[in-house]
Amino acid sequence: MNSFEIAVLGGDGIGPEVMQAGVAVLEAVDARHKLGLRFSPHQAGAMAYRDTGEDLSEPVFARCRDADAILLGAMGWPGIRRADGTELAPQITLRVRLGLFGGVRPIRAIPGVPLPLSDPRAAKMDFVILRESTEGLFFSKDRGLITHDMAEETLRLTRPTSLALARMAFELAGERATRLGRSGRVTLVDKANVFRAFAWLRDVFAEVAAEHPGIKHDAHYVDAMALDLIRRPWDFDVLPTENMFGDILSDLAAGLIGGMGFAPSADLGADHAVFQPSHGTAPDIAGQGLANPTAMILSGAMMLEWLALRGGGEALREAAAEIRAAVDAAFAAGLRTPDIGGASGTAEVTRRVLAALGG
Ligand code: ATP
């Protein structure tokens, strides 16, 4: 029988609140399908730093590294910062130390959730932003050259990571094409008209595109993409992009499907993966039971799919599909969270999704 060790980092603010919902839903499908999930909670984040002086201790890091997958709520808190004033972001430390270069952010309209775009095609929106998560402008984190007279941060792209990102993009497009019954398309989002680094990146993608003749491939400037994600987001499929561009565009894209509470994500590397909602710790609503746990619940489904892709078995894929269907059914039946003008808080969403699961 399978057994998967899942490291659970609730983190700060609404992180532990949405995590409780996410784990409850995973436990329900685990009980039904006998998936063998074992959850091990660990302390990390801003509150851990405040209490212990470490935001991600070496023993906790080791447990995460040795786990089969990592679930993360959200981390960081206003006012709790390092001595140099920088924010505590162990989620970024995990990305860098575990080589989690592929930030997969699916943007899918959930039936019944009000959308800001009135065009009926918006209900068919289903694309993925693939944010490179270890290099780009974020490579410069803690390395910038700051003097009284200037501040300089430098973007870096490397060939191994860019090739791996391109391969992940084409593989993802291939899987989606099979699952959605349509042809796949990879659109690199860059700024190749201004920076030679992005012209270089286009060449790397062209190399990998040649190995995937069945998948369409093109490129789009990031500023034009910001416009087109509002004008015609239903036209896109897989959008690989540089770290900073992906950071910004994924928040914009979350806005298209009802907000941060609906945007799941996965940070994938060759051997490790972290699954977490795209949102932060939301200090403005923390501790009030108002957080929308949908993004966390859907991130759990992404974890099951990733374990399935790594040979964990078909039941994991079925369980992931059941979670997604239960979320869709709950919202289609009228569930409305406070972030979209409703009154159903974290606990009620959990109850309704569990009910839709038949648990
Ligand atoms: P970070 O820098 O960590 O991304 P942030 O403060 O910029 O943090 P969030 O914490 O994601 O961003 O919050 C942005 C806004 O979205 C806040 O008003 C917050 O209340 C809201 N928000 C974020 N996540 C949720 C959620 N799950 N449910 C409801 N509202 C949310």
Side-chain angles (χ1 to χ4, degrees), residues 75-347:
M75 293 180 184
W77 197 252
I80 305 184
R81 290 184 180 249
R82 289 208 180 74
D84 64 1
T86 55
E87 264 183 47
L88 296 149
Q91 63 277 31
I92 297 181
T93 310
L94 280 172
R95 276 176 209 158
V96 174
R97 289 188 68 184
L98 297 177
L100 310 179
F101 63 88
V104 181
R105 278 105 191 267
I107 298 296
R108 184 180 67 91
I110 294 174
V113 173
L115 304 175
L117 300 180
S118 55
D119 190 305
R121 286 173 292 183
K124 298 244 175 300
M125 235 179 334
D126 189 339
F127 62 92
V128 181
I129 293 178
L130 179 58
R131 170 188 174 186
E132 196 293 310
S133 302
T134 54
E135 309 187 331
L137 190 53
F138 279 64
F139 164 76
S140 192
K141 183 177 176 294
D142 303 328
R143 291 189 175 99
L145 175 63
I146 312 295
T147 69
H148 180 264
D149 295 315
M150 63 163 254
E152 183 180 85
E153 304 271 8
T154 308
L155 174 146
R156 173 180 283 191
L157 308 176
T158 67
R159 184 168 167 83
T161 302
S162 302
L163 273 174
L165 185 79
R167 292 198 174 110
M168 189 179 277
F170 282 92
E171 276 160 25
L172 191 56
E175 282 156 30
R176 285 168 51 81
T178 308
R179 182 160 56 85
L180 300 171
R182 66 186 197 195
S183 60
R185 179 168 156 209
V186 170
T187 305
L188 175 64
V189 182
D190 62 31
K191 192 72 184 167
N193 50 339
V194 177
F195 296 107
R196 285 187 298 159
F198 291 114
W200 172 91
L201 186 61
R202 283 195 180 193
D203 289 344
V204 173
F205 268 71
E207 265 178 56
V208 176
E211 297 162 10
H212 297 270
I215 293 173
K216 288 184 226 146
H217 165 54
D218 56 4
H220 216 58
Y221 299 135
V222 65
D223 44 342
M225 184 54 86
L227 175 68
D228 281 338
L229 281 184
I230 304 297
R231 222 165 41 168
R232 51 183 188 93
W234 43 83
D235 282 346
F236 298 107
D237 184 13
V238 176
L239 307 177
T241 191
E242 182 272 338
N243 205 339
M244 184 74 158
F245 294 160
D247 187 28
I248 298 166
L249 287 183
S250 46
D251 272 31
L252 183 157
L256 295 173
I257 51 165
M260 302 304 288
F262 293 97
S265 86
D267 288 321
L268 309 182
D271 301 310
H272 302 278
V274 171
F275 300 85
Q276 67 176 115
S278 297
H279 59 73
T281 55
D284 52 336
I285 57 164
Q288 299 168 49
L290 298 175
N292 177 358
T294 306
M296 183 77 241
I297 293 170
L298 294 174
S299 302
M302 290 177 79
M303 180 186 81
L304 300 182
E305 254 167 7
W306 183 76
L307 290 170
L309 269 177
R310 290 169 64 84
E314 203 47 38
L316 288 156
R317 208 185 308 275
E318 278 169 36
E322 282 173 18
I323 292 177
R324 227 171 263 129
V327 166
D328 285 9
F331 281 96
L335 178 64
R336 294 291 178 269
T337 44
D339 50 344
I340 51 168
S344 298
T346 320

Side-chain angles (χ1 to χ4, degrees), residues 31-80:
R32 176 180 305 166
H33 291 279
K34 309 275 180 288
L35 303 174
L37 305 180
R38 286 185 291 115
F39 299 95
S40 307
H42 304 289
Q43 228 206 344
M47 298 306 165
Y49 178 81
R50 185 196 59 190
D51 298 343
T52 68
E54 287 187 288
D55 58 347
L56 181 68
S57 69
E58 274 309 309
V60 170
F61 173 76
R63 295 295 299 275
C64 291
R65 186 197 53 213
D66 297 343
D68 293 294
I70 303 161
L71 281 177
L72 196 148
M75 293 180 184
W77 197 252
I80 305 184

